[in-house]
Coordinates of all heavy atoms in Angstrom, one line a residue:
N23 N 140.9 89.8 77.7 CA 140.2 89.4 76.5 C 138.7 89.4 76.6 O 138.0 89.0 75.6 CB 140.8 88.1 75.9 CG 140.6 87.0 77.0 OD1 139.7 87.0 77.7 ND2 141.6 86.1 77.0
G24 N 138.2 89.6 77.8 CA 136.7 89.7 78.0 C 136.1 88.3 78.1 O 134.9 88.3 78.1
N25 N 136.8 87.2 78.0 CA 136.2 85.9 78.1 C 136.0 85.5 79.6 O 136.7 86.0 80.5 CB 137.1 84.9 77.4 CG 137.2 85.2 75.9 OD1 136.3 85.6 75.3 ND2 138.5 85.0 75.4
V26 N 135.1 84.6 79.8 CA 135.0 84.0 81.1 C 136.2 83.2 81.4 O 136.7 82.4 80.6 CB 133.7 83.1 81.2 CG1 133.7 82.4 82.5 CG2 132.5 83.9 81.0
G27 N 136.8 83.5 82.6 CA 138.1 82.9 82.9 C 138.1 82.0 84.1 O 137.1 81.8 84.7
C28 N 139.3 81.6 84.4 CA 139.4 80.7 85.6 C 139.7 81.5 86.8 O 140.6 82.3 86.8 CB 140.5 79.6 85.3 SG 140.1 78.5 84.0
R29 N 139.1 81.2 87.9 CA 139.4 81.8 89.2 C 139.5 80.7 90.2 O 138.5 79.9 90.2 CB 138.4 82.9 89.5 CG 138.7 83.5 90.9 CD 137.9 84.8 91.0 NE 137.9 85.3 92.3 CZ 137.0 86.2 92.8 NH1 136.1 86.6 92.0 NH2 137.1 86.6 94.0
P30 N 140.5 80.7 91.0 CA 140.6 79.6 92.0 C 139.5 79.6 93.0 O 139.0 80.6 93.4 CB 141.9 79.9 92.6 CG 142.2 81.3 92.5 CD 141.6 81.6 91.1
T31 N 139.0 78.4 93.3 CA 138.0 78.3 94.3 C 138.5 77.3 95.4 O 139.4 76.5 95.2 CB 136.7 77.7 93.8 OG1 136.9 76.4 93.2 CG2 136.1 78.6 92.7
V32 N 137.9 77.4 96.6 CA 138.3 76.5 97.7 C 137.2 75.6 98.0 O 136.0 75.9 97.7 CB 138.7 77.4 98.9 CG1 137.5 78.0 99.5 CG2 139.3 76.5 100.0
G33 N 137.5 74.4 98.4 CA 136.5 73.5 98.8 C 136.0 72.6 97.7 O 135.0 71.9 97.8
V34 N 136.7 72.6 96.5 CA 136.3 71.7 95.4 C 137.4 70.8 95.0 O 137.4 70.4 93.9 CB 135.8 72.6 94.2 CG1 134.5 73.3 94.6 CG2 136.9 73.6 93.8
G35 N 138.3 70.6 95.9 CA 139.4 69.6 95.6 C 140.5 70.2 94.8 O 141.3 69.5 94.2
V36 N 140.6 71.5 94.7 CA 141.6 72.2 93.9 C 142.7 72.6 94.9 O 142.5 73.5 95.7 CB 141.1 73.4 93.2 CG1 142.2 74.1 92.3 CG2 139.9 73.0 92.3
P37 N 143.9 72.1 94.7 CA 145.0 72.5 95.6 C 145.4 73.9 95.3 O 145.5 74.3 94.1 CB 146.2 71.5 95.3 CG 145.9 71.0 93.9 CD 144.4 71.0 93.8
M38 N 145.6 74.7 96.3 CA 145.9 76.1 96.1 C 146.8 76.6 97.3 O 146.4 76.7 98.4 CB 144.6 77.0 96.1 CG 144.8 78.4 95.8 SD 145.4 78.7 94.1 CE 144.1 77.9 93.2
N39 N 148.0 76.9 96.9 CA 149.0 77.4 97.9 C 149.3 78.8 97.7 O 149.6 79.2 96.6 CB 150.3 76.5 97.8 CG 150.0 75.1 98.3 OD1 148.9 74.7 98.7 ND2 151.0 74.3 98.2
V40 N 149.3 79.6 98.8 CA 149.6 81.0 98.7 C 150.7 81.4 99.7 O 150.6 81.0 100.9 CB 148.3 81.8 99.1 CG1 148.6 83.3 99.1 CG2 147.2 81.5 98.1
A41 N 151.7 82.1 99.2 CA 152.8 82.6 100.0 C 152.8 84.1 100.0 O 152.7 84.8 98.9 CB 154.1 82.1 99.5
L42 N 152.9 84.7 101.2 CA 152.9 86.2 101.4 C 154.2 86.5 102.0 O 154.5 86.1 103.1 CB 151.8 86.6 102.3 CG 151.6 88.1 102.6 CD1 151.4 88.9 101.3 CD2 150.5 88.3 103.6
V43 N 155.1 87.2 101.3 CA 156.5 87.5 101.7 C 156.7 89.0 101.9 O 156.6 89.7 100.9 CB 157.5 86.9 100.7 CG1 158.9 87.1 101.2 CG2 157.3 85.4 100.5
V44 N 157.0 89.4 103.1 CA 157.3 90.8 103.4 C 158.9 91.0 103.4 O 159.5 90.3 104.3 CB 156.7 91.2 104.7 CG1 157.2 92.6 105.0 CG2 155.2 91.2 104.6
L45 N 159.4 91.8 102.6 CA 160.8 92.2 102.6 C 160.9 93.5 103.4 O 160.8 94.5 102.8 CB 161.4 92.3 101.2 CG 161.1 91.1 100.2 CD1 161.7 91.4 98.9 CD2 161.8 89.8 100.8
D46 N 161.0 93.3 104.7 CA 160.9 94.4 105.6 C 161.9 95.6 105.3 O 163.0 95.3 105.0 CB 161.2 93.9 107.0 CG 160.5 94.7 108.1 OD1 160.9 95.8 108.3 OD2 159.6 94.1 108.7

């Protein structure tokens, strides 16, 4: 929609969990 949006940042107290799963 062209609006300024939210992008996660680190180091500002925002919990952010990332899972990377390889289905071999």
Side-chain angles (χ1 to χ4, degrees):
N23 57 33
N25 297 324
V26 174
C28 293
R29 179 164 167 198
T31 62
V32 68
V34 293
V36 181
M38 186 63 59
N39 290 359
V40 178
L42 180 63
V43 182
V44 173
L45 306 179
D46 207 291

